[in-house]
Amino acid sequence: MAIDKYGIAKRIAQELKDGMYVNLGIGIPTLVANFIPNGISIMLQSENGMLGMGPYPVEGKIDADLINAGKETVTILAGGAFFDSAESFGMIRAGKVDLTVLGAMEVSETGDIANWKIPGKMVKGMGGAMDLVASARNIIVAMMHTNPKGESKLLPVCQLPLTGVKCVKKVVTDLAVLDITSNGFKLLERAPGVSVEEIRSKTAGKLIIEGDIPEMKI
């Protein structure tokens, strides 16, 4: 049984370490803010000029002036700061962001990412992802393992226009956790109830399987 988008966010939250500065992309990545482990302090940064974001607001506590880069209402923690986008991208380009979590349409076995354009459909542009993939120290992709047609999104070579080249370090999907290595996708964990065979059948890129693959602990 595959996990849902909340399960993906919970698993990625386990990758967070105390003191990290983290940027969460639009979509599934934004959900990570709700699952930060107890006992650690994380600074969440948003390209539109926020540092110190908290979880999504509960009903009755929504402030329409507090929005993230995806135009969703968020909260701000004590000590949080606001600044212009030039300052924000200065932080990103200077390598001050320890971890970026991005959604993707495709990831290649060499760590390329395509997450901004489907030919023939209207798009607003690549946005801040172009800076994040070039500057973040670590990039984890959060996405479904297959597209709506059931086709693998983990490929030998991306078919869609690239956002970044050889930048992704890890992928967490509804089926698996995989490292990007010099030899391809290395399977680290499988979703509860999901077999290695299913993951293999839905991974078009080179898949490395070594020993028994444990289930994710969500």
Side-chain angles (χ1 to χ4, degrees):
M1 184 180 74
I3 57 175
D4 60 12
K5 62 183 180 180
Y6 299 100
I8 295 172
K10 285 180 183 178
R11 177 58 188 83
I12 289 176
Q14 297 173 23
E15 300 290 317
L16 303 179
K17 295 180 174 56
D18 191 51
M20 271 187 168
Y21 285 77
V22 180
N23 183 286
L24 301 178
I26 296 169
I28 297 173
T30 57
L31 300 174
V32 174
N34 282 4
F35 302 110
I36 295 173
N38 293 327
I40 68 171
S41 176
I42 299 293
M43 292 296 284
L44 295 179
Q45 192 258 13
S46 183
E47 302 101 286
N48 61 323
M50 294 178 70
L51 188 64
M53 285 189 301
Y56 281 115
V58 295
E59 197 69 38
K61 297 288 185 180
I62 295 173
D63 183 341
D65 290 327
L66 294 181
I67 61 171
N68 62 18
K71 299 181 175 60
E72 300 169 307
T73 52
V74 294
T75 58
I76 190 83
L77 302 179
F82 304 93
F83 34 85
D84 64 27
S85 59
E87 189 79 20
S88 177
F89 280 95
M91 292 178 187
I92 293 167
R93 293 168 184 170
K96 303 297 185 183
V97 176
D98 298 302
L99 170 65
T100 291
V101 184
L102 292 172
M105 298 167 187
E106 295 175 346
V107 175
S108 80
E109 63 189 35
T110 57
D112 300 343
I113 178 174
N115 80 337
W116 72 283
K117 183 178 182 179
I118 297 176
K121 294 193 176 182
M122 188 179 74
V123 291
K124 295 179 180 178
M126 193 180 290
M130 61 186 288
D131 295 273
L132 290 164
V133 298
S135 307
R137 300 175 191 174
N138 187 14
I139 296 172
I140 297 177
V141 164
M143 68 178 189
M144 295 300 170
H145 210 93
T146 58
N147 65 24
K149 296 179 181 178
E151 300 164 339
S152 180
K153 295 169 67 172
L154 289 86
L155 305 172
V157 178
C158 291
Q159 303 301 307
L160 296 172
L162 295 182
T163 309
V165 175
K166 295 183 179 178
C167 56
V168 177
K169 302 290 192 291
K170 183 172 287 186
V171 181
V172 180
T173 76
D174 54 326
L175 301 181
V177 179
L178 308 104
D179 264 349
I180 305 287
T181 73
S182 57
N183 293 317
F185 298 106
K186 182 176 181 181
L187 183 58
L188 302 180
E189 301 171 19
R190 53 192 173 84
V194 173
S195 68
V196 171
E197 288 69 30
E198 180 179 357
I199 296 167
R200 193 197 310 270
S201 71
K202 294 180 178 178
T203 304
K206 184 178 179 183
L207 184 64
I208 302 164
I209 301 167
E210 296 177 353
D212 291 331
I213 306 299
E215 287 191 350
M216 296 182 203
K217 291 184 171 68
I218 304 297

